[in-house]
Every structure is written in C-alpha cells, then in structure tokens.
Amino acid sequence: MTEREQNFPALLERLRPECDQIIARYERKRSALLMLMHVFQQHEGFVSREAMRAAAEMLGLTQAEVEGTVSFYTLLFPRPVGRYVLQVCRGLSCSINGAEDVMAYFREQLGVGNLGTTPDGLFSYEEVECLAACDRATCMQVNLEFVYDLTPQKIDEMLAAMRGGTYPVAAMAQTETPDSTWRLRPDDQVSTGRKARGATGVPSPNNAGGVGDKAGIIMLDRIVNKQIAFHEATRERAVVDSTAIVDRVDEGKENGRAGH
Ligand code: FES
C-alpha cells in the first residue's frame, strides 16, 4: 500500500464536510460529481481509485458511472501526473494557426511525446481537442488555466518560470510519482472488457484522432486549396489590441463599411 493510499481515509474525513456542502447545493446528488472530483484532484494531484469509490458512495452512483465521467473529461486526471499539466489544443482553429508547430516545439523542449511525463515528474504533456478559445488560437491550458497566442518565446519563458518555481499558476499537488505516460493500457482496459475498443478500424484506445486523423487532414486540405483567408478580427481580440481596433476601423472606412 502506498503512502497516499494509507493517508486516504484521513483525507476523506477531512474533505467530507466540504463534499457534503457541495452535494447539498444540487437538487440531484449526482450533479455534484465533477465538483467532488475536482476537490479530490486538488488534494491528491489526480483522481485516485479511492476518490472515485468514495464519490460513488456519497452520490449513490456505480463505480463505472464515476469512472466513465472521469475518463471523459480532459480536466480530470485519472492517473498521477506532473506538477504542471500542459494541455495544448490541436483543434481546427489552432491547427490553422500553427498548432502542429507549437506541439512539435513542446515535444522537443520537454523531450516527451503526447501523454508523456518528464522523468523529473515536473511536466505532463497532452494534445487535446478544442478548448473553446478558438479566437485566441493557438492556445493551451496549464493546470487548467488558459494561455493564449503561443509563440516559441512565450513557451520558453513559461517553461523556465515553471522550472524556476516562479510561474504564476500554482503547481499541482503530487502524492504519487507519475509513470512516464498516462496512456491507457490496452490489456487492462480493452481486453478485460472494461473499455470498449472504440470505432471500427481503430486498433488502439489511445488513438484519439485529431491531427493525423483522416477527416481533419481532408478538411485542412480543402481550406488550403480553396485559400479561405481569415480576415476578420474578433471583438475580444480587438478590445485587447487597441491598434487592431484603429486598423479595423480605418480599413472599414476605406472599404465603405464599419470595422468589426
Ligand atoms: S481549436 Fe483550439 S481552442 Fe478551438
């Protein structure tokens, strides 16, 4: 039994009043699941089996229902991860704006691949689907906090600050040493029947599609060949960048229409 497992009953007793308060806010107990998982993740650095079992008991859910929810969301980590979880968006808008280069740069700087953790346990790296911040592509989350408009310089500074302990986003708790990867193991997930294999023709449960996925490539090809240009700035970017507002207004006047 690990030290974390030994300490779990005491942690549960300590967190129970907070969990009860959260549960009381919802009409249906099960609605509190994500909030409870966040509470445990905050203290353990990931969502442990013990935490899932405790939540299932508190909410009257089955273990499978809790596990299904935890494995669905990229904001919950079902295995021990690094002190900084770097989740880079590989969605369409980010891909158009250079996500492939950003991801390649991260992999190079960290020396690990997608779903890898550095040997010192400081960084876990993941390439994720659209983070719903498409107008600020390319973007990522650091311990679930957004970082926008990524450049190599910004990434260098970010990693240096994390290594030096000066990054403004707090490091995650780490109660267990992470493995070098938190990929699903096909033998303990698929062959034992605990996880469906997924779509036909997808041999690995780790193959999440995205960049490299045929549909994405076809879509990108179509965009490139049709030469669709993205001329419009969003309102949010225009407000942040006052120069852009002036430029857009001037441009609008020249074209005989209001700038956006
Ligand atoms: S595609 Fe990256 S945030 Fe939407």
Side-chain angles (χ1 to χ4, degrees), residues 85-89 94 102 106 131 138-142 145-148 150 155 158 162:
V85 179
L86 311 174
Q87 295 177 302
V88 179
C89 178
C94 288
V102 170
F106 264 110
L131 289 170
T138 50
C139 70
M140 68 180 295
Q141 286 187 314
V142 174
E145 297 288 336
F146 275 98
V147 182
Y148 305 109
L150 295 166
I155 294 168
M158 175 195 300
M162 287 170 188

Short mmCIF file of all heavy atoms in Angstrom, two decimals, residues 85-89 94 102 106 131 138-142 145-148 150 155 158 162:
data_model
loop_
_atom_site.label_atom_id
_atom_site.label_comp_id
_atom_site.label_asym_id
_atom_site.label_seq_id
_atom_site.Cartn_x
_atom_site.Cartn_y
_atom_site.Cartn_z
N VAL A 85 0.54 20.32 -15.74
CA VAL A 85 -0.06 19.59 -16.85
C VAL A 85 -0.25 20.58 -17.99
O VAL A 85 -0.99 21.56 -17.86
CB VAL A 85 -1.40 18.95 -16.44
CG1 VAL A 85 -2.02 18.22 -17.62
CG2 VAL A 85 -1.19 17.98 -15.28
N LEU A 86 0.45 20.33 -19.08
CA LEU A 86 0.43 21.23 -20.23
C LEU A 86 -0.46 20.61 -21.30
O LEU A 86 -0.11 19.57 -21.88
CB LEU A 86 1.85 21.41 -20.78
CG LEU A 86 2.93 21.75 -19.73
CD1 LEU A 86 4.30 21.77 -20.37
CD2 LEU A 86 2.62 23.08 -19.05
N GLN A 87 -1.61 21.23 -21.54
CA GLN A 87 -2.55 20.66 -22.50
C GLN A 87 -2.68 21.62 -23.68
O GLN A 87 -3.25 22.69 -23.57
CB GLN A 87 -3.91 20.45 -21.83
CG GLN A 87 -3.84 19.39 -20.72
CD GLN A 87 -5.15 19.20 -19.99
OE1 GLN A 87 -5.67 20.16 -19.44
NE2 GLN A 87 -5.67 18.00 -19.98
N VAL A 88 -2.12 21.21 -24.80
CA VAL A 88 -2.08 22.07 -25.98
C VAL A 88 -3.22 21.68 -26.92
O VAL A 88 -3.45 20.50 -27.19
CB VAL A 88 -0.73 21.92 -26.71
CG1 VAL A 88 -0.70 22.78 -27.96
CG2 VAL A 88 0.41 22.31 -25.78
N CYS A 89 -3.93 22.71 -27.40
CA CYS A 89 -5.08 22.45 -28.27
C CYS A 89 -4.61 22.09 -29.68
O CYS A 89 -3.77 22.76 -30.26
CB CYS A 89 -5.97 23.69 -28.33
SG CYS A 89 -7.37 23.42 -29.44
N CYS A 94 -6.82 26.15 -33.99
CA CYS A 94 -5.43 26.16 -33.53
C CYS A 94 -4.51 25.54 -34.58
O CYS A 94 -3.40 26.02 -34.79
CB CYS A 94 -5.31 25.45 -32.18
SG CYS A 94 -6.03 26.43 -30.84
N VAL A 102 3.53 24.33 -32.70
CA VAL A 102 3.54 24.53 -31.24
C VAL A 102 3.74 23.19 -30.54
O VAL A 102 4.57 23.04 -29.64
CB VAL A 102 2.22 25.18 -30.76
CG1 VAL A 102 2.13 25.17 -29.24
CG2 VAL A 102 2.11 26.60 -31.28
N PHE A 106 6.85 21.96 -28.16
CA PHE A 106 6.71 21.45 -26.80
C PHE A 106 7.37 20.08 -26.65
O PHE A 106 8.10 19.81 -25.70
CB PHE A 106 5.23 21.33 -26.41
CG PHE A 106 4.73 22.52 -25.66
CD1 PHE A 106 3.84 23.40 -26.23
CD2 PHE A 106 5.16 22.77 -24.36
CE1 PHE A 106 3.38 24.51 -25.53
CE2 PHE A 106 4.71 23.87 -23.65
CZ PHE A 106 3.81 24.74 -24.25
N LEU A 131 -10.40 23.65 -27.09
CA LEU A 131 -10.55 24.15 -25.72
C LEU A 131 -11.55 25.31 -25.66
O LEU A 131 -11.66 25.98 -24.64
CB LEU A 131 -9.19 24.62 -25.18
CG LEU A 131 -8.18 23.51 -24.87
CD1 LEU A 131 -6.80 24.12 -24.58
CD2 LEU A 131 -8.63 22.66 -23.70
N THR A 138 -3.10 30.23 -31.27
CA THR A 138 -3.06 28.90 -30.67
C THR A 138 -3.09 29.01 -29.14
O THR A 138 -2.52 29.92 -28.58
CB THR A 138 -1.74 28.21 -31.07
OG1 THR A 138 -0.67 29.13 -30.79
CG2 THR A 138 -1.70 27.89 -32.53
N CYS A 139 -3.75 28.04 -28.52
CA CYS A 139 -3.90 28.17 -27.07
C CYS A 139 -3.67 26.84 -26.36
O CYS A 139 -3.56 25.79 -26.99
CB CYS A 139 -5.28 28.71 -26.74
SG CYS A 139 -6.59 27.55 -27.06
N MET A 140 -3.61 26.94 -25.05
CA MET A 140 -3.36 25.75 -24.23
C MET A 140 -3.89 26.00 -22.82
O MET A 140 -4.29 27.13 -22.49
CB MET A 140 -1.87 25.45 -24.15
CG MET A 140 -1.10 26.50 -23.37
SD MET A 140 0.68 26.17 -23.28
CE MET A 140 0.74 24.66 -22.33
N GLN A 141 -3.86 24.97 -22.00
CA GLN A 141 -4.15 25.14 -20.58
C GLN A 141 -2.96 24.64 -19.77
O GLN A 141 -2.37 23.61 -20.10
CB GLN A 141 -5.41 24.37 -20.18
CG GLN A 141 -6.68 25.04 -20.67
CD GLN A 141 -7.93 24.37 -20.14
OE1 GLN A 141 -8.04 23.14 -20.15
NE2 GLN A 141 -8.87 25.15 -19.66
N VAL A 142 -2.63 25.40 -18.74
CA VAL A 142 -1.60 24.99 -17.79
C VAL A 142 -2.31 24.78 -16.47
O VAL A 142 -2.87 25.72 -15.91
CB VAL A 142 -0.54 26.10 -17.63
CG1 VAL A 142 0.45 25.72 -16.53
CG2 VAL A 142 0.19 26.34 -18.94
N GLU A 145 -5.52 26.44 -16.40
CA GLU A 145 -5.60 27.88 -16.65
C GLU A 145 -5.21 28.15 -18.11
O GLU A 145 -4.22 27.60 -18.59
CB GLU A 145 -4.63 28.65 -15.74
CG GLU A 145 -4.91 28.53 -14.25
CD GLU A 145 -6.15 29.29 -13.83
OE1 GLU A 145 -6.53 30.25 -14.52
OE2 GLU A 145 -6.75 28.91 -12.81
N PHE A 146 -5.96 29.01 -18.78
CA PHE A 146 -5.70 29.27 -20.20
C PHE A 146 -4.45 30.09 -20.45
O PHE A 146 -4.13 31.02 -19.69
CB PHE A 146 -6.88 30.02 -20.83
CG PHE A 146 -7.97 29.11 -21.28
CD1 PHE A 146 -9.09 28.89 -20.49
CD2 PHE A 146 -7.88 28.45 -22.50
CE1 PHE A 146 -10.10 28.04 -20.90
CE2 PHE A 146 -8.88 27.59 -22.93
CZ PHE A 146 -10.00 27.39 -22.13
N VAL A 147 -3.74 29.76 -21.52
CA VAL A 147 -2.65 30.59 -22.04
C VAL A 147 -2.92 30.73 -23.54
O VAL A 147 -3.21 29.73 -24.21
CB VAL A 147 -1.26 29.93 -21.84
CG1 VAL A 147 -0.16 30.84 -22.35
CG2 VAL A 147 -1.03 29.60 -20.37
N TYR A 148 -2.88 31.97 -24.04
CA TYR A 148 -3.28 32.22 -25.43
C TYR A 148 -2.10 32.64 -26.30
O TYR A 148 -1.04 33.00 -25.80
CB TYR A 148 -4.31 33.35 -25.47
CG TYR A 148 -5.53 33.13 -24.62
CD1 TYR A 148 -5.73 33.88 -23.47
CD2 TYR A 148 -6.49 32.18 -24.95
CE1 TYR A 148 -6.86 33.71 -22.67
CE2 TYR A 148 -7.62 32.00 -24.18
CZ TYR A 148 -7.80 32.77 -23.04
OH TYR A 148 -8.90 32.59 -22.26
N LEU A 150 0.20 31.47 -28.44
CA LEU A 150 1.50 30.88 -28.12
C LEU A 150 2.56 31.21 -29.16
O LEU A 150 2.30 31.19 -30.36
CB LEU A 150 1.36 29.36 -28.00
CG LEU A 150 0.46 28.91 -26.85
CD1 LEU A 150 0.10 27.43 -27.01
CD2 LEU A 150 1.14 29.14 -25.51
N ILE A 155 6.63 30.19 -24.89
CA ILE A 155 6.77 28.82 -24.36
C ILE A 155 8.08 28.70 -23.57
O ILE A 155 8.10 28.14 -22.47
CB ILE A 155 6.71 27.79 -25.51
CG1 ILE A 155 5.32 27.80 -26.14
CG2 ILE A 155 7.05 26.39 -24.99
CD1 ILE A 155 5.22 27.05 -27.45
N MET A 158 7.71 30.44 -20.28
CA MET A 158 6.79 29.69 -19.43
C MET A 158 7.49 28.50 -18.78
O MET A 158 7.44 28.29 -17.56
CB MET A 158 5.65 29.19 -20.33
CG MET A 158 4.64 28.30 -19.69
SD MET A 158 3.63 27.48 -20.97
CE MET A 158 2.91 28.85 -21.79
N MET A 162 8.39 27.85 -14.79
CA MET A 162 7.91 26.66 -14.08
C MET A 162 9.08 25.92 -13.44
O MET A 162 9.01 25.49 -12.30
CB MET A 162 7.17 25.73 -15.04
CG MET A 162 5.81 26.26 -15.45
SD MET A 162 5.14 25.29 -16.79
CE MET A 162 3.71 26.25 -17.21
#
